[in-house]
Amino acid sequence: MHLQFYGAAGEVTGSCHILTVLGRTLLLDCGLIQGGDDPDSRNRQPFPFDAAAIDAVVLSHAHIDHCGRLPLLRKRGFRGPVFATPACRDLARILLADSAFMAEREAERYRRRQAEHGNRHARGFPDPLFTRVDAEETIAQFKTVAYGRATEVLPGATLTYRDAGHILGSASVWLQLEEAGARARIVFSGDVGQYDSPILRDPEGDGVADVLVMESTYGNRRHRERSETLQEFGEILRAARQGGGNVLIPAFAVGRSQEVLYELATHFDEWRVGDWQVFLDSPMAIEASEVYWKHPELYDAAASAVRRDAGGLPTLPNLKLCRSAEESMAINLMRGGAIIIAGSGMCNGGRIVHHLKHNITRHECDVIFTGFQAVGTLGRAIVDGREHVRIHGEQFKVNARIHTLGGFSAHGDQEDLLRWHAGVGGKPHTYLVHGEAEGAIGLCAALHARGARAEVARPAQRVDLTHLGGR
Ligand SMILES: [Zn+2]
């Protein structure tokens, strides 16, 4: 019995760990590497194991950096079950299809460039990493497991999911392993959400473990108080109403869009949301929202009460869902009174880019960022305060008021991570993964200060699970 860290040890994306019990092999997540130098080439590299020899995958949640290489695993011969919660499967279907669609489009662009310029100037790959057909075939391998239900996933390995409070259907993975009389309790945190975040329940941590594999994305940071964030949100909308223009909210399709809608609904009177027309202008965010709305059994007490009083979510009477391009373009005619939620969250594509073109030069408009903006994206250029930005090859002067609302993160901060860790009994040896160096080192130091046994996982590090007493 052993555990080996493969992806996301020492970096934020590409989560994947390998567990061996009774001669069979289980993967914990199989995520896509994103960002950094040439991620596409890195994702195409062979796995450090034979994909056909993997017996099962246990998925923590649907974010693409946790499930995005599953179709590739399938293409290379994996035919076993992928365990996931029902909501995780529903969201993974949307996210994998979108990822495949973008890869297909990128490959098409490559072929076109090659046809125009010949081989020398074409960058990229002629074939997508995987197609929408691959993604759909992968979803057919999913087997759903509800929270709290102990399920044998392989001989000698029993899985129990607990809510991780990160996105809908997100889970931490609790495994009981048994081999030739030796037992080991292994917990993989997945991504841990913030406590008291809207809609979702708090991360569940109570239980006992011998070995704990834990994320550390914001292991060295403190988030802003949510109450301050919400107060600022309300103030921005009040001032924007006086300005008479539109409000643009670039948002990720899964999680952030639903949170923003929920906050608008629950502060409907206080923020005078009824004075606006609210648009969710993203087919993918609409699909993801429908998954959120169809799983009320996963809501926290406050969201359950809101839903009960209103007879369902969403409760925004002035919300318009824009699926078609025509519906999206019709918003361009509105000079004021529109709150437009659209993707992509970092403005590096999607419908938000068109809305920016129509509104960013106008003094009376507002743009509200609610998430992290990576270097090199249009969103980052705007939040960095550039006077002019380039959109579709054209220069635009930034006259709109730009706001960055902190506190909306789907990840817990150091305090949340420590609180979750404290709930895991049995004094487990903790390996920190899924964080950049500062996050992992910061959390490691904080855990040491509390007397916990912790270390930052090294790529390819192997942990013996048979002789846990001897470590
Ligand atoms: Zn995540």
Side-chain angles (χ1 to χ4, degrees), residues 62-330:
H63 274 148
I64 218 71
D65 56 332
H66 289 257
C67 74
R69 255 188 304 178
L70 282 173
L72 201 61
L73 194 72
R74 178 187 160 76
K75 272 173 76 173
R76 293 179 182 172
F78 167 67
R79 291 292 179 275
V82 178
F83 294 95
T85 68
C88 173
R89 183 212 36 209
D90 294 348
L91 290 176
R93 172 177 279 136
I94 297 168
L95 285 160
L96 288 176
D98 177 69
S99 191
F101 174 67
M102 288 195 300
E104 287 174 28
R105 205 175 49 182
E106 199 46 53
E108 179 55 40
R109 280 200 197 122
Y110 170 88
R111 286 194 290 270
R112 225 178 302 137
R113 280 195 301 265
Q114 206 177 32
E116 282 168 18
H117 305 293
N119 238 335
R120 282 176 307 130
H121 297 289
R123 287 177 54 214
F125 293 93
D127 302 310
L129 195 60
F130 55 85
T131 63
R132 279 171 284 180
V133 173
D134 296 323
E136 200 44 52
E137 284 174 354
T138 305
I139 291 295
Q141 285 176 242
F142 275 50
K143 282 197 167 23
T144 60
V145 175
Y147 293 117
R149 197 157 298 167
T151 303
E152 189 179 73
V153 289
L154 282 181
T158 302
L159 159 75
T160 307
Y161 277 132
R162 290 179 199 271
D163 202 329
H166 168 63
I167 58 170
L168 199 79
S170 67
S172 56
V173 174
W174 297 64
L175 286 163
Q176 299 260 10
L177 307 182
E178 198 172 344
E179 182 181 288
R183 287 163 193 254
R185 295 161 297 186
I186 313 303
V187 176
F188 170 47
S189 69
D191 284 355
V192 179
Q194 293 196 58
Y195 287 81
D196 301 320
S197 63
I199 309 172
L200 303 177
R201 292 199 292 248
D202 283 349
E204 291 178 273
D206 41 309
V208 180
D210 301 304
V211 170
L212 175 55
V213 181
M214 186 173 176
E215 72 121 330
S216 55
T217 311
Y218 289 124
N220 62 334
R221 294 226 229 141
R222 278 293 297 274
H223 292 322
R224 194 172 175 213
E225 287 294 324
R226 183 162 288 268
S227 55
E228 287 174 31
T229 299
L230 292 176
Q231 195 184 345
E232 189 185 348
F233 199 173
E235 278 160 16
I236 294 168
L237 290 183
R238 213 165 296 132
R241 191 76 195 95
Q242 307 232 306
N246 294 323
V247 173
L248 272 51
I249 308 180
F252 301 103
V254 175
R256 201 56 43 85
S257 292
Q258 293 76 39
E259 247 181 86
V260 169
L261 287 178
Y262 181 81
E263 298 297 4
L264 290 173
T266 49
H267 297 84
F268 193 82
D269 296 328
E270 187 191 339
W271 297 350
R272 298 184 56 184
V273 178
D275 293 348
W276 298 86
Q277 172 76 59
V278 182
F279 297 93
L280 182 60
D281 186 20
S282 155
M284 189 178 164
I286 294 167
E287 268 188 81
S289 299
E290 284 165 347
V291 174
Y292 269 69
W293 299 331
K294 95 171 193 210
H295 284 286
E297 76 284 4
L298 304 180
Y299 298 170
D300 65 6
S304 299
V306 168
R307 175 176 173 273
R308 201 170 41 242
D309 292 348
L313 281 188
T315 61
L316 276 173
N318 52 345
L319 170 65
K320 184 165 169 40
L321 304 176
C322 303
R323 287 186 171 84
S324 70
E326 291 72 31
E327 286 170 309
S328 176
M329 286 189 287

Side-chain angles (χ1 to χ4, degrees), residues 66 271 316 351 367 385 402 436 469:
H66 289 257
W271 297 350
L316 276 173
R351 292 179 177 178
V367 185
I402 308 300
E436 280 167 356

Side-chain angles (χ1 to χ4, degrees), residues 255-425:
R256 201 56 43 85
S257 292
Q258 293 76 39
E259 247 181 86
V260 169
L261 287 178
Y262 181 81
E263 298 297 4
L264 290 173
T266 49
H267 297 84
F268 193 82
D269 296 328
E270 187 191 339
W271 297 350
R272 298 184 56 184
V273 178
D275 293 348
W276 298 86
Q277 172 76 59
V278 182
F279 297 93
L280 182 60
D281 186 20
S282 155
M284 189 178 164
I286 294 167
E287 268 188 81
S289 299
E290 284 165 347
V291 174
Y292 269 69
W293 299 331
K294 95 171 193 210
H295 284 286
E297 76 284 4
L298 304 180
Y299 298 170
D300 65 6
S304 299
V306 168
R307 175 176 173 273
R308 201 170 41 242
D309 292 348
L313 281 188
T315 61
L316 276 173
N318 52 345
L319 170 65
K320 184 165 169 40
L321 304 176
C322 303
R323 287 186 171 84
S324 70
E326 291 72 31
E327 286 170 309
S328 176
M329 286 189 287
I331 307 171
N332 296 341
L333 300 173
M334 288 186 70
R335 303 294 289 169
I339 296 176
I340 307 161
I341 305 161
S344 74
M346 298 193 199
C347 310
N348 46 346
R351 292 179 177 178
I352 192 70
V353 178
H354 296 276
H355 297 304
L356 286 167
K357 280 168 82 169
H358 282 91
N359 293 283
I360 202 162
T361 58
R362 301 174 57 216
H363 291 276
E364 64 274 32
C365 290
D366 293 78
V367 185
I368 306 177
F369 288 91
T370 59
F372 174 74
Q373 304 297 311
V375 175
T377 59
L378 174 58
R380 180 61 170 261
I382 297 171
V383 299
D384 278 350
R386 295 253 192 92
E387 231 173 277
H388 293 87
V389 289
R390 216 174 170 74
I391 306 177
H392 294 156
E394 251 180 282
Q395 290 276 13
F396 289 82
K397 186 159 191 318
V398 180
N399 290 324
R401 288 171 295 243
I402 308 300
H403 314 271
T404 303
L405 267 186
F408 265 108
S409 180
H411 282 272
D413 62 7
Q414 188 186 69
E415 199 179 320
D416 293 316
L417 292 171
L418 290 172
R419 180 171 165 187
W420 185 80
H421 187 279
V424 183

